[in-house]
Amino acid sequence: MAKGQLEFQEEVDAARIENAMWRSWKADGSGDHSGDHSAKTEKLERVRGSIGDSIDFSQIRYPQETRRCRYDDLPTFPVRPNFAGFENALQPASQCVVFDGCPEDPYHPSNTPIYQTSTFVQPSSSEFGPYDYTRSGNPTRTALEKHVAMLEHAAAAFAFSSGMAALHTVTRLLKQGDEILVNEDIYGGMHRLLTQDCAHNGVQVTFVDTTNLTAVAKAITPKTKIIHTESPSNPRMKISDLRKLATLAHQHKVLLSVDSTMMPPVICQPLLLGVDLVVHSATKFFSGHADCTGGLVCVRDPELAHRVAFLQNAEGTALAPFECFLFLRGIKTMWLRVNRAQENTVQIAKALAKHPRIKEVFYPGPGGCSSEALRIHNSQSSGCGCIISFTTGSVSFSRRFLDASRLFKTTVSFGSVNSLGEMPCTMSHASIPAEERTLPADLVRLSVGIEDVRDLLQDLQRALDFASSQKPPPEHDGYDSRFEDLPVVPRPPDEEERPRKSLSEWLLSEVEGPSTSQMLSGPCPCCWESS
Ligand code: PLP
């Protein structure tokens, strides 16, 4: 390395160390005046955890310690900052936008490039660069993982090919004979994974109501290694007290894992509440546009991070660079999207609660849960999220309602910019056998999008009116995204009477020719007339 380069590298390393030292010093509220050797060693370990294990400390200011340089450390875990204990001075909306994913790129791109490569050339046959193989590590993925770690206050975050791959990784922390306690109304895919995969591999799966701390305390056995829950749960929107669950779990040396897919980091950061592992189906709010599938695991403890990094590489479940790019893009508007959708959600929940045909509304907002559940939810997050479930007292009414709705598209999943609706028992949670399901069959789940709430309210009202009527099912085929299916404002009478030329007719009269007329055959988007 040339001298200038070496100095630059040292400066970068020194800045990283200073930054990490500052964070770890701040974390325990003390300066470095103790002179106590074991305290210093502990701090050094913490610093090392903060900045990874690949900087040679002896070159800078510390005596060289024995390095535990395992092969797996190098490609799977390139140097990255530890955001546990990091205090970001920026507001959440800014944190989503202000992030340099590739500070070392010599061209300083404004946006993280897609490193669409499976391999990286190594400096020599006996040395590694920061990356060697994309399954093990890729700069676009590191950028996403760093940004997510920052938003979640994690020691490290890891991106997987789907939410299920992320959840699978959490279950892979268990060995044969270990036990996992899981909340009763867990997401259907996780229920399937646990009961039809983990259980077959010798892991004991026990379901428990995680909203009831006494029940959880009773259920913990010496074999219990992980408690896994969701708050709010999907789709019953039950609230668990994450702080108290974490305390309970840690008293028994058990890890607390939370699937926080419903609560993206712009409204809830479970690691700050004491949770050990946070999982997301990034397919939902991180994407926000229903255009990519991915999952995230975020951890507080660097040793646990090591294990997750190992599994990500060993099992080959990591997210591909293009999807990482899409999620990086999605994060930039996450705060805006979630906040707008939440505003809509509050209004929609109010309207549903007032409707005579709605039996019960479930959501972590006023009227959607008990006041105690709401108090707990508000103490651990800053918003109600964008999902509402409700019952109608009749499966056929719920079906008629969903089928008649035009803006709430009948779709599994949630967290997209557009509004969605589904019936969990036959859709997202259908993989849970009916006899094991705790969900009401008439339950409808809505994912509220960022449309104008007036349109959403009108659509719901129309669909509820239709479902209450005796009318036969609507004629549209369900996939009603055609222009002519959208509600049209009637034209004023004088305009109706005026002979109108369609856009296609006008264009044809202006530009004659067979190719133009071919191009313009089909309905005209401006006046809804067929040309
Ligand atoms: N967790 C929750 C709460 C979910 O709702 C889902 C999917 O709907 C998943 C995990 C699985 O995520 P993915 O579909 O990205 O594998």
Side-chain angles (χ1 to χ4, degrees), residues 162-164 167 187 230 234 259 261 281 283-284 293-294 414:
S162 67
M164 285 317 304
L167 285 167
Y187 163 62
E230 299 164 356
N234 172 18
D259 181 337
T261 303
S281 165
T283 316
K284 302 345 189 238
T293 304
F414 54 86

Side-chain angles (χ1 to χ4, degrees), residues 161-167 186-190 228 230 232-234 259-262 279-284 292-295 412-414 428-429 445:
S161 57
S162 67
M164 285 317 304
L167 285 167
I186 194 83
Y187 163 62
M190 181 58 164
H228 176 81
E230 299 164 356
S233 61
N234 172 18
D259 181 337
S260 197
T261 303
M262 284 226 184
V279 182
H280 286 281
S281 165
T283 316
K284 302 345 189 238
C292 43
T293 304
V412 288
S413 199
F414 54 86
S428 59
H429 291 62
R445 186 185 74 187

Side-chain angles (χ1 to χ4, degrees), residues 156-358:
F158 299 91
F160 293 88
S161 57
S162 67
M164 285 317 304
L167 285 167
H168 170 75
T169 305
V170 172
T171 66
R172 299 290 290 150
L173 296 169
L174 298 163
K175 296 187 304 297
Q176 196 178 12
D178 288 347
E179 180 185 40
I180 179 166
L181 296 186
V182 191
N183 71 307
E184 280 171 346
D185 61 335
I186 194 83
Y187 163 62
M190 181 58 164
H191 186 281
R192 175 173 50 200
L193 177 74
L194 290 167
T195 54
Q196 298 181 48
D197 182 50
C198 294
H200 295 173
N201 292 328
V203 168
Q204 185 173 332
V205 181
T206 306
F207 291 96
V208 61
D209 177 3
T210 56
T211 65
N212 181 343
L213 286 165
T214 319
V216 179
K218 267 196 197 151
I220 294 175
T221 69
K223 287 183 184 170
T224 311
K225 294 291 176 297
I226 295 180
I227 300 173
H228 176 81
T229 192
E230 299 164 356
S231 185
S233 61
N234 172 18
R236 279 296 305 278
M237 315 301 286
K238 287 191 185 169
I239 306 299
S240 293
D241 190 327
L242 299 181
R243 280 191 192 86
K244 288 194 176 153
L245 267 182
T247 309
L248 178 65
H250 298 159
Q251 278 165 0
H252 292 84
K253 303 211 174 339
V254 170
L255 294 174
L256 177 61
S257 156
V258 170
D259 181 337
S260 197
T261 303
M262 284 226 184
M263 291 277 118
V266 289
I267 46 177
C268 181
Q269 293 137 346
L271 296 180
L272 293 182
L273 307 172
V275 172
D276 301 287
L277 294 130
V278 170
V279 182
H280 286 281
S281 165
T283 316
K284 302 345 189 238
F285 290 101
F286 283 80
S287 150
H289 297 78
D291 55 6
C292 43
T293 304
L296 300 161
V297 174
C298 313
V299 294
R300 268 191 313 138
D301 171 44
E303 259 315 298
L304 194 53
H306 236 125
R307 184 69 192 148
V308 177
F310 172 83
L311 289 168
Q312 187 193 45
N313 182 42
E315 301 196 326
T317 44
L319 190 64
F322 181 63
E323 273 73 16
C324 292
F325 166 83
L326 288 176
F327 287 120
L328 278 164
R329 188 182 163 106
I331 288 174
K332 290 182 181 157
T333 54
M334 186 159 56
W335 189 90
L336 267 185
R337 285 185 281 107
V338 170
N339 272 274
R340 167 59 180 257
Q342 279 191 147
E343 285 165 18
N344 289 352
T345 304
V346 174
Q347 297 212 41
I348 287 170
K350 268 192 209 154
L352 286 172
K354 277 195 224 141
H355 200 278
R357 287 305 306 259
I358 304 296

Side-chain angles (χ1 to χ4, degrees), residues 423-482:
M423 293 191 60
C425 286
T426 47
M427 295 175 69
S428 59
H429 291 62
S431 58
I432 307 179
E435 60 282 7
E436 289 172 40
R437 223 181 279 139
T438 54
L439 304 173
D442 59 330
L443 192 71
V444 176
R445 186 185 74 187
L446 299 181
S447 169
V448 181
I450 64 169
E451 301 91 337
D452 190 313
V453 73
R454 290 169 297 187
D455 292 329
L456 295 178
L457 288 169
Q458 198 179 39
D459 190 50
L460 289 178
Q461 186 61 56
R462 227 178 34 78
L464 285 165
D465 288 349
F466 173 82
S468 313
S469 75
Q470 301 300 315
K471 287 186 200 154
E475 274 178 17
H476 71 88
D477 59 7
Y479 306 109
D480 58 340
S481 299
R482 295 171 307 215

